[in-house]
Amino acid sequence: MPLRDLPHADPGVPDTRSGFRFLLWLEKRQIGGQITAALWGTLHMAAVASFPAAVGIAVQAVVDHSGRRLAMAGVLMLVLGVLTALGDTMLHRTAVTNWITAAARVQLLLARKTVELGSVLTRRVAAGEVVAVSTGDVEKIGWFVEALARFTSAFVATIGIAVALVLYQPALGGMVAAGIPVLAFAVLPLLPRATRRADEQREKAGRATTLASDTVAGLRVLRGIGGEELFLTRYRRASQEVRTAAVRSARMWSLISAVQVVLPGLLLVGVAWYGARLALAGRISVGELVTIYGTVVFLMFPLRGFEEIAMAYSFSRPSAKRAARILSLERGIPDGVASGEGGAPSGDLYDPATGLLAPAGLLTAVVCGDPDAAGLLADRLGGHSPGRDAADPSVLLGGTALDALPLAEARAAVLVQDKDPVLLSGTLRELLEVPSSGAVTPEAALAAAQCGDVLDALAQASVDDSGDPMRTRITERGRSLSGGQRQRLALARSLVTDPEVLVLDEPTSAVDSHTEARIALGLKELRTERTTVVFTSSPLLLDRADRVVFIADGSVNSVGTHHELLHGDLGYRAVVTRETEHELQRAEEPA
């Protein structure tokens, strides 16, 4: 497809059963571009391969003192030069187009899967691996798609040259034809070891990337506890392991390259020696010897295509395997096929696995002693089950399984804001331009999230002197803002969407108590008659909730208001007040 038509309107449904099947699927999806590139490559190879014949005609014309044939040879070389330039230009153009098209298709598939899974993706796959697949692995997959067309043209040219030489000069042609399979397959015994070393290199590189990603993400904390040098030392060690593995891999590929040079060189020497004897014996002419010698020299060029495709496949197969593994992840366990009629469902939100019930139109606060368990439960409430093999049933909204709904309907029904939301770069107006019902204005959402001081700071940072905070640009991930400011802007963005069900995971953990109290009030007022679930242990938020659910050991332990649970459940009181149950029991014992 032309590059101007990118991105793909529909990248298709990939075959993710294995890395090889994924590569094969990619090839089938752009078979037209591959055939076009192979045809241009064949034209290029044929034109270059014909040059020795033109030179041989010219040499023989000089020997025979034939000016007419010499002029014909010159015209022929001119035509071949034009065809060579045309074929090479168009081959490069179409091959690069194939590379970009395949890379764009894979990246679009990865982006679609990221949108589908959301924050659950990094729970199932390491963040470093996701980064490696979307950057380096995409490049290697595109390389194989690009190299396959050149290999096809090189293969066709090699077979054609062998047949032509046998017909042109059976004695020397037969010698060359017999040597070509040896040259083509001599490196096959070396490929498994080279592939293993390349896999080892990429595995170590993936671990190093993950370690680097984790170190950078936690750099502020590491500096605070004095562990920065420890993690940097670990990364240096991992980096050196990658370097050592890369050197070992390069040694094997250099050996393969050496074989690809030595063996054709030996064939060339043999052809020259045998051809010279035939010429001295008068069995072939000087022009024929020059033609065959030049053709054998040319054979080194297409034979390089055999080495390139071996390297491209060796590097792209593990990359395709990793990409296929990510693309094979699913949202959850489909309990049926949703008709999609009538829009998103509404009603009570219920999780059969834990027994959590969030009645429609109420603010339900959920208290978990384990923050990680709270994050997983928040993902489940958004319709993201741990995987297809999970035994837990799907979360129900109004009696409808979220896993069975189309993604668009599930996202329209339930919005989950995790505890570390991301702010993309752009203006504040662009940040708040999200799909929404239109019932909540950006101003109302910002007011409910208590973003007044944030707006003042953004107004002062305005670069166009307009003083309009909505036009002020926010840097990537909101680095120019404090943690509390980022958290409140993310909350305002969630409130603007006005979903049927809003799930918030620790939305005020970085906010001071006075601001938190005002946010609790604003959230309660703005989400009136809307279902809201807040994972928190803050008494200020819990006191505003219509209903508080305490979850312990993976299931609902008690339900009530904040004050009821505070006086009636020691486990709940221990989590909220940060006291141990033993201390609470001793405090309640009579003196």
Side-chain angles (χ1 to χ4, degrees), residues 218-230:
L219 195 57
R220 181 178 299 180
V221 177
L222 291 175
R223 286 174 175 171
I225 63 176
E228 178 182 4
E229 189 59 36
L230 173 63

Side-chain angles (χ1 to χ4, degrees), residues 50-74:
S50 300
F51 262 101
V55 173
I57 293 174
V59 170
Q60 191 62 43
V62 172
V63 173
D64 297 339
H65 304 286
S66 175
R68 185 177 64 84
R69 279 190 291 154
L70 184 61
M72 290 177 56

